[in-house]
Amino acid sequence: MMDQMTSLVSLIILKVDMDEDSRDYLDYLQTFVIFVLKKYTPDPVTDSKISELLLTEFGLNVPHRGCQMVLRRMA
C-alpha cells in the first residue's frame, strides 16, 4: 500500500508542476535526484546508481536512460 501511495503522490507532484510551472518530466525528476545525491553521495555518480536510489528512497522506478538525461541536464 505504501508503494502505491508514494507513486500516487509523485504523479500528483508531476501533474501540478507541469500545469503550474511549465516544468517537464526531467525537471520534476531533478528534485528527487538532488535529494538522493545529497543524502547518499554516491561515488561515482552513475545513471544506474541514481535509478537504484530513486527506487529505494521514493519507490520511483525510473529507467537508467531517464536518470542519465537528468544528470546530463544538471551537468
Side-chain angles (χ1 to χ4, degrees), residues 44-71:
V45 175
T46 63
D47 52 355
S48 59
K49 185 63 178 178
I50 296 301
S51 182
E52 176 187 320
L53 292 172
L54 291 175
L55 184 59
T56 301
E57 187 69 28
F58 300 107
L60 296 173
N61 191 4
V62 180
H64 296 223
R65 177 71 175 131
C67 291
Q68 184 182 67
M69 292 172 68
V70 172
L71 291 170

